[in-house]
Amino acid sequence: MRIGSPKETYAADESLFRTRTQWVWFGILLLSLVLYPFMANLYWLYLVCLICINIISATGLNILTGYTGQVSLGQAAFMGVGAYTVAWLDNNASTPFIMNLLAAGAVTTVVGIIAGLPSLRVKGLYLAIATIAASFILQFIFINWESVTRGTRGINIEPPTLFGVEFDNPDTFYWLVVPVTVVMLILAANLFRTRVGRAFIAIRDRDISASVLGINLPLYKLMSFAIASFYAGIAGGFYAYFYGSINPESFPLLMSIFFLAAIIVGGLGTILGSILGAVFMTLTPELLRYGVDVLEPFVHDASALLSPVRTMVFGLLIVGFLLFEPHGLAEIWRRIRRFFHLWPFRN
């Protein structure tokens, strides 16, 4: 039974993995990720690639909303900025994949900072409305700036190529998106062991007290928007490469609600919550689709019910977790861990 984990140095106190057991489990996770493509079929590889894209975007939104307390409903539009940046560079500049992806993150960061300017004066519901407005403005740009976005026709993107290898299928694309996802999760986890990350948490908990303590609220709020947008831009770039084509309908407001639901269901203010929420919310439509297939012989045109039912389920999940488990799946996982820490000696 683990009853404590004493630290003898500051380095030990700041380490990401504080026990040997955690290192062992992390090693097992990495080994599982390496072996997974050799055991799964293309459909499950496709799902894992999509989950990784959603994890990156959800992590960015959790940094902004879960850790800094700045509500945003524009994450899908920011992903669209990253996707269109990648598409334009791929079609007009023929720049390398890595450069396109970094450019997507950089451009989206700038757009995110501009969209985050209202956070300097408003917060809560008003900030959410401001980010919805930013989403509509970006959608208008996606549709009407045809010289760049090609409007409603959309843009086709060639598969990414790295070191002469073309990543044109889920079984190859997996080796691009999974390592980047792991790196970005580690960066996000490390962020909250720094002064910047702790400032974000202080702003979330009590922004007036944080200001009194000397935290520059405008600077750190815009920095949070910048980091969240960078993550969205990277996710959007991967989304464009993964599907091979994008159009304005690829990034609707419902997609932003999807990511908000993911971090609420997974757990606000936790990196684990971003992972669990993205996995759960990505697999939920697949389970609904399976249920529709089962009902197809008994219900006329059952497939037409999938979209409205999915929207309703997203809403019910948000309300249900807010009412009955506000800390999300991450808290459920922590309870399970605590149970096994004490098992079989619990009362």
Side-chain angles (χ1 to χ4, degrees), residues 217-295:
L217 296 187
L219 173 64
Y220 284 106
K221 284 183 178 181
L222 291 181
M223 194 178 298
S224 181
F225 266 96
I227 295 172
S229 300
F230 178 82
Y231 273 70
I234 297 296
F238 273 122
Y239 184 97
Y241 278 122
F242 185 54
Y243 285 103
S245 65
I246 55 170
N247 59 65
E249 295 181 358
S250 301
F251 309 99
L253 180 62
L254 181 60
M255 191 175 185
S256 294
I257 297 174
F258 168 89
F259 288 115
L260 183 62
I263 63 173
I264 291 174
V265 169
L268 290 168
T270 64
I271 302 300
L272 178 62
S274 303
I275 300 171
L276 296 178
V279 171
F280 185 84
M281 296 302 293
T282 304
L283 294 181
T284 295
E286 300 302 319
L287 294 175
L288 291 176
R289 186 175 292 111
Y290 175 77
V292 167
D293 292 340
V294 173
L295 293 175

Side-chain angles (χ1 to χ4, degrees), residues 16-322:
L16 187 60
F17 300 107
R18 300 184 178 183
T19 66
R20 186 175 298 175
T21 302
Q22 290 176 333
W23 277 108
V24 170
W25 280 113
F26 182 65
I28 292 173
L29 172 62
L30 293 181
L31 182 61
S32 300
L33 292 175
V34 171
L35 296 178
Y36 181 80
F38 303 103
M39 299 181 292
N41 58 32
L42 282 178
Y43 173 73
W44 285 102
L45 287 171
Y46 161 83
L47 282 181
V48 170
C49 292
L50 182 59
I51 285 171
C52 286
I53 294 171
N54 290 339
I55 286 174
I56 294 173
S57 189
T59 300
L61 183 60
N62 216 345
I63 290 172
L64 179 64
T65 301
Y67 281 99
T68 318
Q70 307 299 299
V71 182
S72 173
L73 283 170
Q75 194 73 352
F78 296 147
M79 283 182 64
V81 173
Y84 275 109
T85 301
V86 161
W88 189 89
L89 289 173
D90 186 75
N91 283 275
N92 296 276
S94 300
T95 46
F97 158 75
I98 295 295
M99 187 177 297
N100 291 349
L101 203 61
L102 293 176
V107 171
T108 311
T109 297
V110 175
V111 173
I113 291 173
I114 296 171
L117 289 175
S119 69
L120 305 183
R121 299 296 300 271
V122 298
K123 57 184 177 180
L125 178 62
Y126 300 102
L127 181 57
I129 293 173
T131 56
I132 292 176
S135 178
F136 286 144
I137 291 171
L138 290 172
Q139 282 289 337
F140 178 84
I141 293 173
F142 296 159
I143 294 171
N144 294 281
W145 195 6
E146 295 194 5
S147 60
V148 174
T149 65
R150 298 182 187 173
T152 56
R153 293 175 298 167
I155 305 179
N156 294 325
I157 305 104
E158 293 295 324
T161 301
L162 189 64
F163 304 122
V165 179
E166 190 175 77
F167 299 86
D168 55 348
N169 287 306
D171 56 342
T172 53
F173 195 84
Y174 177 95
W175 298 104
L176 278 182
V177 68
V178 170
V180 173
T181 302
V182 172
V183 170
M184 297 198 77
L185 286 172
I186 292 174
L187 290 176
N190 276 283
L191 173 65
F192 297 100
R193 300 188 295 123
T194 67
R195 177 185 177 88
V196 173
R198 289 166 181 165
F200 289 169
I201 295 172
I203 293 171
R204 177 198 65 191
D205 292 342
R206 184 72 68 177
D207 56 352
I208 296 176
S209 299
S211 179
V212 171
L213 291 172
I215 294 174
N216 188 330
L217 296 187
L219 173 64
Y220 284 106
K221 284 183 178 181
L222 291 181
M223 194 178 298
S224 181
F225 266 96
I227 295 172
S229 300
F230 178 82
Y231 273 70
I234 297 296
F238 273 122
Y239 184 97
Y241 278 122
F242 185 54
Y243 285 103
S245 65
I246 55 170
N247 59 65
E249 295 181 358
S250 301
F251 309 99
L253 180 62
L254 181 60
M255 191 175 185
S256 294
I257 297 174
F258 168 89
F259 288 115
L260 183 62
I263 63 173
I264 291 174
V265 169
L268 290 168
T270 64
I271 302 300
L272 178 62
S274 303
I275 300 171
L276 296 178
V279 171
F280 185 84
M281 296 302 293
T282 304
L283 294 181
T284 295
E286 300 302 319
L287 294 175
L288 291 176
R289 186 175 292 111
Y290 175 77
V292 167
D293 292 340
V294 173
L295 293 175
E296 193 73 43
F298 309 100
V299 180
H300 175 68
D301 201 16
S303 58
L305 300 174
L306 181 60
S307 181
V309 168
R310 181 178 63 178
T311 305
M312 184 175 66
V313 168
F314 285 171
L316 290 174
L317 285 172
I318 293 175
V319 173
F321 272 88
L322 286 175

